[in-house]
Amino acid sequence: MIKRSTAQDVAKAAGVSPTTVSFVLNNIEGMRISPETRDRVLEAARTLNYHPDSSAQKMARGKTSVIGLVLRQNPEKAYADLFIQDVMQGISSVIRENGYQLLFIPLPPEDKEKSYSKLINERHVDGLIVSGPTEDDYELVEAFNDGAKIVLMGKILGSHIPFIDIDNQKSAEMAVAHLAALGHERIGIITNAPLNFASSKDRLQGYRNVLEKNDLPFDEKLVVLGDRTPESGYLAIQELLKVEPLPSAVFIASDTVALGAMNALYENGIHVPDDMAVVGFDDIALARYVIPPLTTIHLPAYSLGLGAANMLIQQINNDFKESSEIILQTRLIIRESSGRNL
Amino acid sequence: MIKRSTAQDVAKAAGVSPTTVSFVLNNIEGMRISPETRDRVLEAARTLNYHPDSSAQKMARGKTSVIGLVLRQNPEKAYADLFIQDVMQGISSVIRENGYQLLFIPLPPEDKEKSYSKLINERHVDGLIVSGPTEDDYELVEAFNDGAKIVLMGKILGSHIPFIDIDNQKSAEMAVAHLAALGHERIGIITNAPLNFASSKDRLQGYRNVLEKNDLPFDEKLVVLGDRTPESGYLAIQELLKVEPLPSAVFIASDTVALGAMNALYENGIHVPDDMAVVGFDDIALARYVIPPLTTIHLPAYSLGLGAANMLIQQINNDFKESSEIILQTRLIIRESSGRNL
DNA sequence: GCGCTTTGCTAAAACGCTTTAGCAATATAA
DNA sequence: TTATATTGCTAAAGCGTTTTAGCAAAGCGC
């Protein structure tokens, strides 16, 4: 194993001090370095294949240049929810630009041992983007109050943690209103996740609002909980199929869950949209390729990631340009799974 | 912002030296610490909410406890290939157990600026799992020869880098042989990725082998390149539909690509499997939920991730139990998309 | 009471960088 | 010519750990 070369080595090779090496390599302004010296250092660094040790830099500079994306889910499910992929793309794009790296952190909700402060205190990360926080994440609030740099995707009521989110309630209303407008009077719902997630609760509320506005009765039996995976949708829709009388449409508050549900419908010989209209939520990349293509709510996942990363970096730099509470617009994408007027 | 507490602070609070703090907290054997002192240190650490600074530990210990998963793809596509999700799960499970963390590193093939050695030399990571290396990744070989700890998922011919892989050629043979056995005589192929990826090339070779074995002619027009995404499949299948005479079956060497292709078939009113039989590759979680459910080659993605992580950790510890070349078994999963005998 | 071992702890160096303060040499101004 | 500014660099401290070497006190055998 060839030994890594250090700033010392470069300094010696170039006949200067490590200080000068640091100045040259970091392009420090205001430090006068003659062009010849600069070239010599650069040359030495290149021939020695020098790369500064990031840990040493962290120590010296007091920052890590790593930001963490924490997914408040089991590791098994963390990667299952497809919309997170677009989010990651958005985050990646700004992060790279600013010289940060992304650390991926699945953090199961039941993991209660001071995980956030651990993450931050151990200086693994400069800041955190937390996706899908639960409603009662006291530890997160505490960490933020202790000075941790945090941006939420979603929100925690009553906290002052900056967040970027969509209007889940209004978006769900759009989805269900579409179904109602098509003439459906008995509409089921499969939630995206358990109800301790704010997004689930809000989407369910949106569903109820539309029923009320259209004088449709609310039937608890038509509410089934999903849990982010196709599997959960596959199971959930079976529950719905047991209900009498059968709904003619279902709003599934997650495309990923909807994929599983649609398969179960197919297996049961129930045709979408003729026998059962379906509207999803998220507009994952695959939604357009499902058979039949899925009517859904377009959630600007890429922008969500982009915005969150921007907010976080601003926060880290104590440089607040934008508002610390951003709500992004969604829109209804009508494809085939919702069918036509009854 | 409440100041982070350091080992110094704990030492002072417990009335001992930082050395003792370190001994207690790391449970160093052979160092005699009285139970009372130990308790005092532990107590102080708890009340001060002490967490060791990971960078400082890295410096002192010379290791980072982070391993990198590098995806040899554009960041845009890195998350699109769904099978990688299962791989990540497998990796995560061993990594957690061993106290490592996962750093996610999309590394575009065109990114030629010494990226691997940069990663390793900057000490961001202790080791690397490289997914889908291209055939001619000299830099990777060089990094390995320089002592970097690397495990490949896939392989590079002629290098001695440990790898874990499947037999792509044989697996593709299974897929195409299934189609041939059903009576198809004109079978197309959409590759999973461009042909500079070893897996693509091998799968194509498997396809050719079966044609030959069954005395079926090889027609270049029936070979279209996919590129890991549903979009690429959507486009690729249209190429195939222009060919005269039309194939009656197609082997799509990636389920993710197949999803897009199947949608295009649907849009063109071509029924799967009656008008066109389809066999995929990977057996992503969704394959079972596609309509119609996808016949495919089950690739043990989880085990792949698990095995790779294990091999890497052994390599890091210079503790070679298992072989450094592992081939995992695949199997054909027959669902509906391949249909019945013609 | 003398040497020897064991116990329980600590001092100090090391890891590889950044950054502040400052110094010598040269250039400029008066 | 002397005072002052500028240029081009470096010494050394500091970041928060781990770890090696070693020291004082206590215990033990004789």
Side-chain angles (χ1 to χ4, degrees), chain A residues 1-2 4 49 51-56 58-59 64 66 75-77 79-82 85 88-89 92 96 101-108 111 114 117-124 146-148 230-231 234 259-260 262-263 266-267 285-286 288-293 336, chain B residues 1-2 4 49 51-56 58-59 64 66 75-77 79-82 85 88-89 92 96 101-108 111 114 117-124 146-148 230-231 234 259-260 262-263 266-267 285-286 288-293 336:
Chain A
M1 172 126 169
I2 294 163
R4 292 167 27 82
N49 189 25
H51 296 274
D53 180 309
S54 63
S55 300
K58 285 176 204 177
M59 290 250 52
T64 70
V66 172
E76 300 83 51
K77 288 184 190 162
Y79 312 100
D81 199 345
L82 303 178
Q85 294 179 17
M88 286 176 78
Q89 285 185 33
S92 292
R96 297 193 120 217
Q101 294 213 255
L102 222 207
L103 190 63
F104 209 69
I105 311 165
L107 196 60
D111 204 339
K114 292 252 167 210
S117 54
K118 206 172 159 212
L119 239 23
I120 295 177
N121 278 323
E122 292 186 356
R123 278 262 185 77
H124 278 121
D146 279 0
E231 288 74 13
Y234 186 84
L259 295 182
M262 286 175 78
N263 179 271
Y266 170 79
E267 281 185 4
L286 241 43
R288 177 197 176 319
Y289 296 106
V290 178
I291 299 171
E336 298 178 24
Chain B
M1 173 124 168
I2 294 162
R4 291 166 29 81
N49 190 26
H51 297 272
D53 179 310
S54 63
S55 299
K58 284 177 205 178
M59 288 249 57
T64 69
V66 173
E76 301 82 53
K77 288 183 190 160
Y79 312 101
D81 199 346
L82 303 178
Q85 294 177 21
M88 288 176 77
Q89 285 184 35
S92 293
R96 297 192 121 219
Q101 295 213 252
L102 222 207
L103 190 62
F104 209 69
I105 311 166
L107 196 61
D111 204 339
K114 294 254 167 205
S117 53
K118 206 172 160 214
L119 241 23
I120 294 177
N121 279 322
E122 291 186 356
R123 281 263 186 77
H124 278 120
D146 280 1
E231 288 74 13
Y234 186 82
L259 294 182
M262 286 175 77
N263 179 269
Y266 170 79
E267 282 185 3
L286 241 43
R288 175 196 178 322
Y289 295 108
V290 178
I291 299 171
E336 299 178 24

Side-chain angles (χ1 to χ4, degrees), chain B residues 179-217:
Chain B
L179 254 13
L182 291 174
H184 293 279
E185 300 191 330
R186 196 158 166 76
I187 303 173
I189 178 173
I190 297 176
T191 67
N192 49 316
L195 294 179
N196 57 331
F197 289 90
S199 61
S200 298
K201 213 163 152 185
D202 288 351
R203 291 175 195 181
L204 177 58
Q205 186 56 49
Y207 162 83
R208 297 191 66 155
N209 292 350
V210 174
L211 293 192
E212 195 162 332
K213 210 171 295 171
N214 289 272
D215 290 323
L216 299 175

Side-chain angles (χ1 to χ4, degrees), chain A residues 166-232:
Chain A
I166 56 167
D167 188 330
N168 280 293
Q169 193 169 318
K170 216 180 85 194
S171 305
E173 285 174 13
M174 283 163 44
V176 182
H178 172 60
L179 252 14
L182 291 173
H184 293 279
E185 300 190 330
R186 197 158 165 77
I187 304 172
I189 177 172
I190 297 177
T191 67
N192 50 316
L195 294 179
N196 57 330
F197 289 91
S199 62
S200 297
K201 213 164 153 185
D202 289 350
R203 291 176 195 181
L204 177 58
Q205 186 58 49
Y207 162 84
R208 297 191 64 157
N209 292 350
V210 174
L211 293 193
E212 194 164 333
K213 210 172 295 171
N214 289 272
D215 290 324
L216 300 175
F218 172 73
D219 182 349
E220 250 186 36
K221 294 200 298 296
L222 292 182
V223 178
V224 186
L225 301 186
D227 197 4
R228 295 203 162 89
T229 63
E231 288 74 13
S232 75

Side-chain angles (χ1 to χ4, degrees), chain A residues 289-304:
Chain A
Y289 296 106
V290 178
I291 299 171
L294 192 59
T295 294
T296 189
I297 296 294
H298 178 76
L299 172 149
Y302 184 87
S303 309
L304 234 31

Side-chain angles (χ1 to χ4, degrees), chain B residues 14-177:
Chain B
V16 297
S17 73
T19 309
T20 304
V21 172
S22 176
F23 286 160
V24 170
L25 263 25
N26 292 298
N27 261 313
I28 305 288
E29 325 220 344
M31 287 302 151
R32 283 159 287 259
I33 305 287
S34 69
E36 303 85 56
T37 308
R38 169 178 303 272
D39 287 349
R40 247 182 313 131
V41 171
L42 258 20
E43 172 63 20
R46 192 144 21 84
T47 59
L48 289 177
N49 190 26
Y50 169 73
H51 297 272
D53 179 310
S54 63
S55 299
Q57 287 185 316
K58 284 177 205 178
M59 288 249 57
R61 299 204 243 230
K63 61 174 299 201
T64 69
S65 291
V66 173
I67 83 162
L69 171 61
V70 359
L71 303 178
R72 216 63 181 103
Q73 299 175 30
N74 297 318
E76 301 82 53
K77 288 183 190 160
Y79 312 101
D81 199 346
L82 303 178
F83 104 94
I84 206 67
Q85 294 177 21
D86 294 326
V87 171
M88 288 176 77
Q89 285 184 35
I91 297 178
S92 293
S93 72
V94 281
I95 267 185
R96 297 192 121 219
E97 222 167 72
N98 289 274
Y100 283 81
Q101 295 213 252
L102 222 207
L103 190 62
F104 209 69
I105 311 166
L107 196 61
E110 59 275 12
D111 204 339
K112 277 290 173 214
E113 34 155 331
K114 294 254 167 205
S115 324
Y116 291 117
S117 53
K118 206 172 160 214
L119 241 23
I120 294 177
N121 279 322
E122 291 186 356
R123 281 263 186 77
H124 278 120
V125 299
D126 283 344
L128 246 28
I129 295 176
V130 179
S131 165
T134 50
E135 279 199 315
D136 52 353
D137 211 332
Y138 300 120
E139 206 215 316
L140 190 56
V141 177
E142 199 184 307
F144 180 74
N145 290 337
D146 280 1
K149 312 295 187 177
I150 299 177
V151 168
L152 301 179
M153 290 184 37
K155 66 190 140 205
I156 295 182
L157 257 41
S159 84
H160 293 110
I161 310 182
F163 66 80
I164 183 165
D165 202 2
I166 56 167
D167 188 331
N168 280 292
Q169 195 169 316
K170 215 180 84 193
S171 304
E173 284 174 12
M174 284 165 41
V176 182

